[in-house]
Amino acid sequence: MEIDYVFEALASTPRRKILAYLSEATLTAGEIAARFDMSKPALSKHLKILEQAKLISSERKGQFIEYRLADKNMMVSLTNMLATFCPVGSGLKKESTAIARSKDKTTKQE
Amino acid sequence: MEIDYVFEALASTPRRKILAYLSEATLTAGEIAARFDMSKPALSKHLKILEQAKLISSERKGQFIEYRLADKNMMVSLTNMLATFCPVGSGLKKESTAIARSKDKTTKQE
DNA sequence: TACACAATTAACTAATTAGCTAAATATATT
DNA sequence: AATATATTTAGCTAATTAGTTAATTGTGTA
């Protein structure tokens, strides 16, 4: 599922740090890498994972590649996440409700 | 950091499913395990990870152990996450704090 | 006490992830 | 064309994670 990529992407301290760096500024891959104690290829992988999750987007500018937050998509994903865990129905939630109801009935019979 | 545990816990489809199952009902470890195609020890590990992240809590009831959402903590974590990554979120969080403060004041006056 | 049931912990394996260095690709400059 | 810079891809290894079965712990009941 699509949301899986978002959660996987967020489950990494360096990746969340990248998002924080991009929260206000647009930065090139090199500018981001300069802020981490990690090789450029390693950073590149993190950027790829964030981009696959649609949390960031990239645009080539000459020999540079600029990265920026794709915050609209992030908001959609996070909102969906909230919708899953909080009131708004999914199949699992309905089943959970049904379980609660049957348990309640059993308890009252005793 | 504390939030690291939350992200790690959420980066797993079965664990997010467990949260969804618990969104309305309180279930024992066995009742949860019965809904997954996975061994009980494997489920037990997932429950432990969720509990360490303070997303769920457990309580022994005789030979059973009941699990339930610790949703207040989850909401706090998720709200903080929004505040960190989205400029909009941080503004809203501050407003939320302000509202809470003003409500508190009002309540005490009553 | 002895036995059954619920759940966890222990010990292990297979698969995945995160990092590295070296090589390749794309663009800019001379 | 040749060379330099920015970035990514390839190939590798070490560490971590997710699952398994077997053993252990805690509780209820005959």
Side-chain angles (χ1 to χ4, degrees):
Chain A
M1 252 179 54
E2 187 200 64
I3 193 81
D4 293 349
Y5 292 105
V6 175
F7 283 111
E8 193 199 303
L10 292 174
S12 151
T13 304
R15 286 196 288 269
R16 291 196 302 277
K17 256 180 93 174
I18 292 171
L19 291 175
Y21 276 126
L22 295 178
S23 66
E24 296 291 330
T26 293
L27 296 172
T28 68
E31 289 171 326
I32 297 168
R35 288 169 171 77
F36 288 82
D37 186 21
M38 196 187 294
S39 71
K40 283 184 178 196
L43 243 297
S44 189
K45 265 193 201 175
H46 285 304
L47 290 169
K48 193 178 186 180
I49 289 167
L50 286 167
E51 193 164 18
Q52 280 177 341
K54 300 195 181 156
L55 294 173
I56 64 175
S57 66
S58 65
E59 186 186 1
R60 183 173 274 279
K61 283 283 176 70
Q63 30 177 186
F64 301 90
I65 299 185
E66 279 186 355
Y67 284 91
R68 78 189 72 243
L69 272 197
D71 51 359
K72 188 184 159 198
N73 283 290
M74 180 153 70
M75 287 307 292
V76 169
S77 298
L78 294 176
T79 303
N80 285 337
M81 177 168 81
L82 288 169
T84 303
F85 297 139
C86 308
V88 168
S90 74
L92 294 182
K93 193 208 162 198
K94 277 175 196 151
E95 187 179 344
S96 182
T97 304
I99 295 164
R101 199 160 32 225
S102 75
K103 283 200 169 184
D104 193 43
K105 203 186 289 177
T106 305
T107 305
K108 281 177 181 163
Q109 283 173 338
E110 286 172 351
Chain B
M1 252 179 52
E2 187 200 64
I3 192 82
D4 293 348
Y5 292 105
V6 175
F7 283 112
E8 193 199 303
L10 291 174
S12 152
T13 305
R15 286 197 287 269
R16 292 195 303 278
K17 259 181 91 173
I18 291 170
L19 291 176
Y21 275 125
L22 295 178
S23 66
E24 297 290 329
T26 292
L27 297 173
T28 68
E31 288 171 326
I32 297 168
R35 287 169 171 78
F36 288 82
D37 186 21
M38 194 187 294
S39 70
K40 283 183 177 194
L43 244 296
S44 188
K45 267 193 200 172
H46 285 305
L47 290 169
K48 193 177 185 180
I49 289 167
L50 286 167
E51 193 164 18
Q52 280 176 341
K54 301 195 181 157
L55 294 172
I56 64 174
S57 65
S58 64
E59 186 186 1
R60 183 173 274 279
K61 284 282 175 69
Q63 30 177 188
F64 301 91
I65 297 184
E66 280 187 355
Y67 283 92
R68 77 190 73 243
L69 271 197
D71 50 359
K72 189 184 159 197
N73 283 289
M74 179 155 70
M75 287 310 292
V76 169
S77 298
L78 293 175
T79 303
N80 286 334
M81 177 169 81
L82 288 168
T84 304
F85 298 138
C86 318
V88 171
S90 125
L92 294 181
K93 193 200 163 200
K94 276 176 198 149
E95 189 180 344
S96 179
T97 304
I99 293 164
R101 203 164 24 229
S102 76
K103 282 198 171 182
D104 193 42
K105 204 186 291 177
T106 307
T107 304
K108 280 177 183 162
Q109 285 172 341
E110 286 171 350

